[in-house]
Amino acid sequence: MKQTTLEKAKARVNLLEQHRQPMNEVWGELAKYLAPGRGAKNLTSQYDTLKSNSSSKNIFDATAIRAVRILASGMQSGLSSPARPWFRLRSFANETHNSGPIRRWLDEVENRIYASLARSNFYSAIHSLYTELAVFGSANLYMEACPEYNFRFECLSAGEYSWGIGENGRITSVARHIKVPLSVLASRFGVSRLSSNAQKLLSKDASQSIELVHLVEPRHQRKPNFIDHANLPYASILFEVDNSATELLHEGGFSEFPHLCARWEVISGEIYGRSPGLDTLPDIRMLQEMNKSQLLAVHKMVNPPMRVPLGFKQRLSLIPGAVNFVTPGQSDAIAPLYQIHPNLNALSSKIEDVRQSIKEGLFNDLFLMFAGGKLNNLTATEVLERSNEKLLLLGPVVERHQSEILSPLITRAFGILQRSGALPEMPKELIDVPLKIEFVSSLAQAQKIGTANSIRRLTADVASLAGLSPTVLEKLNFEQAIDELANLAGVPASMVNSNDELKNIRQKQQEQSTKAIFEKELSGLFNKKLTPFLDKVLDNMFKEMNNSTNSESQNKDKDKTREVK
């Protein structure tokens, strides 16, 4: 019997949730110690109170929680800071497109994407994603179009989503459970689309919510030439969890994958990522037990068990200033039952070692390298070298984050703005030309610092050799070196002239210099009345020279095109 679309969708969701099942217990343990309040309620049977405030009642030391916040803040400031540019657009087709008017169009597109991201809730949502990534090793940011702010983001917590991977190892399918009020569903899809049970609930109380499943996956059977929702590259399927539903609630599509799925570290064959929180979990458990033991020791020292004579039974008060009446001859030997003398200094020292280990495991030493005055005696160059050396430790994480989160983010943002008409008209040179995304954040720049330093060292060496032989300067292309340094530094295109603009500037300077020489030589041969006439003759002569130069360059370009063909 042929399966319906609803049955296929339910089978697909069940398979994705089965693959996620082994991670539930791990995520529940991580949320318990590193991020109380995060994660789905159904992660483990012992973790049903995750969303309540009592979920942190077993936390005796919050070092790990604070370390996660520092790591999340450091990742945001280093990869996608709202205070500085962190990406640039470039053209794959021709390097000349990356300067001049086309470069300025790309800059304008960048500015509009930055403005749209700033107006939306992107920067608050991406901070939550970095927190999820540090704790659970997997994070999911849902991005959808919004008429008011262009974009809207929602960071899903661990246990709220189930993933499926494609042939390239990337996440291509996501299923999530959501609850929506019946009144919203009825107004958006119509009462007839609801199941029989949902219609009964709607008639009683429209404010009640029902559970839905939203599945997004690649659409394998479609007509690419059609632009309707049923033929978009990614299918969007929405249906009720209730078994009384006999058809899909809605079926649509996306032009780009709307789920931005990140993983901290992935082992071959695994779907979900591993986190630095998982690596530090043994230390975190030990730290909680050590603090618990230390508190117990302090309590026994301050308030030890007491040895009390029988005569004080049911009438002894140990409250400060209390009055206890005794009979004549009654023994008043009230003393501790036993006394302990723990070495609290040694215990505190060991606890501090474990705390430091947790902070290092969560990369706090990297982002707080200037805290505590440890680098006060170093020069600015030494500080820069040490900071860049430490930032290289996050190289694999940065590369994975750029490919799994930031690149799809910019691609989808560009598509949404282009379809809504919010971008300037694309130059004809860029039509059907793929755009390249370059990341210029502080962490991304740290990965490129080696190339920039190599260029600087080479130019310095050539400059020193020029003192012995000035002709060596002809060996180095200084103009290309400036372009490379500008690209590595991520400076605005308006700061560096393109090759065509530089050619025009030099041509104008040469014309002015030649014209000045002509006027100086001829001023002695003719009287001043002929000077305006000479200016006009010289201007016409230079125009003819420019026209001949342009025609020669065009002929050369045509010859090169013929050679390529």
Side-chain angles (χ1 to χ4, degrees), residues 382-440:
E382 291 174 331
V383 170
L384 181 63
E385 290 294 332
R386 289 196 181 188
S387 60
N388 289 330
E389 183 179 318
K390 280 182 171 290
L391 290 175
L392 288 176
L393 297 175
L394 284 176
V397 178
V398 172
E399 294 294 331
R400 177 176 291 280
H401 192 78
Q402 290 174 351
S403 63
E404 291 189 344
I405 286 288
L406 299 182
S407 290
L409 165 71
I410 302 305
T411 301
R412 179 152 171 75
F414 182 88
I416 291 175
L417 293 178
Q418 190 177 43
R419 288 189 293 271
S420 64
L423 295 182
E425 185 179 357
M426 180 179 291
K428 60 181 181 179
E429 295 88 350
L430 292 181
I431 296 177
D432 296 330
V433 174
L435 297 181
K436 177 183 177 183
I437 303 171
E438 278 192 355
F439 296 100
V440 293

Side-chain angles (χ1 to χ4, degrees), residues 31 112 150 171 191 194 197 282-283 300 313 349 456 503 507 522 529 547 549:
R112 297 195 183 189
N150 293 324
I171 305 301
V191 178
L194 299 177
N197 291 341
D283 289 336
K300 286 189 175 182
K313 186 178 181 180
S349 177
R456 295 189 184 99
K503 181 180 178 181
Q507 190 173 357
L522 296 176
K529 294 181 179 181
N547 293 333
T549 303

Side-chain angles (χ1 to χ4, degrees), residues 24-181:
N24 287 347
E25 187 174 355
V26 177
W27 286 345
E29 193 74 5
L30 289 170
K32 177 180 178 181
Y33 289 107
L34 283 91
R38 290 188 178 270
K41 289 185 178 180
N42 58 348
L43 287 180
T44 62
S45 58
Q46 294 90 8
Y47 210 55
D48 290 336
T49 59
L50 178 63
K51 295 294 183 181
S52 65
N53 294 330
S54 61
S55 58
S56 59
K57 62 182 180 181
N58 294 322
I59 302 297
F60 296 94
D61 192 300
T63 298
I65 299 175
R66 291 191 294 267
V68 166
R69 292 176 182 171
I70 293 173
L71 176 56
S73 300
M75 291 288 288
Q76 179 169 6
S77 62
L79 285 173
S80 53
S81 172
R84 57 159 293 171
W86 47 272
F87 76 90
R88 292 187 70 197
L89 297 178
R90 294 175 60 83
S91 171
F92 264 122
N94 193 337
E95 283 301 318
T96 59
H97 292 173
N98 296 318
S99 58
I102 296 179
R103 176 65 255 173
R104 295 190 185 95
W105 180 86
L106 294 174
D107 286 344
E108 179 62 24
V109 172
E110 291 173 14
N111 293 333
R112 297 195 183 189
I113 294 177
Y114 279 127
S116 297
L117 291 175
R119 284 197 304 270
S120 68
N121 64 329
F122 167 71
Y123 288 106
S124 60
I126 197 70
H127 183 269
S128 297
L129 179 137
Y130 291 128
T131 303
E132 292 276 328
L133 200 61
V135 175
F136 305 107
S138 302
N140 191 321
L141 187 66
Y142 180 68
M143 178 183 182
E144 64 179 355
C146 175
E148 185 176 0
Y149 301 109
N150 293 324
F151 316 128
R152 190 186 74 86
F153 297 87
E154 181 183 2
C155 182
L156 309 182
S157 193
E160 296 179 356
Y161 54 83
S162 302
W163 287 349
I165 58 175
E167 296 178 354
N168 58 357
R170 297 286 182 89
I171 305 301
T172 57
S173 303
V174 176
R176 58 177 297 207
H177 288 253
I178 55 177
K179 286 189 175 182
V180 183

Side-chain angles (χ1 to χ4, degrees), residues 277-329:
L278 183 62
D279 297 336
T280 58
L281 188 58
D283 289 336
I284 296 172
R285 289 198 190 102
M286 179 170 60
L287 179 63
Q288 302 305 324
E289 290 297 324
M290 293 175 68
N291 274 274
K292 185 178 180 181
S293 300
Q294 186 183 42
L295 289 174
L296 184 61
V298 172
H299 286 166
K300 286 189 175 182
M301 290 177 61
V302 176
N303 189 18
M306 303 299 293
R307 183 183 62 191
V308 182
L310 188 62
F312 285 100
K313 186 178 181 180
Q314 297 181 350
R315 64 184 183 87
L316 177 67
S317 176
L318 297 179
I319 299 175
V323 177
N324 293 276
F325 296 95
V326 297
T327 59

Side-chain angles (χ1 to χ4, degrees), residues 265-282:
E265 181 184 8
V266 181
I267 296 178
S268 178
E270 293 186 349
I271 300 176
Y272 300 94
R274 295 172 177 263
S275 67
L278 183 62
D279 297 336
T280 58
L281 188 58

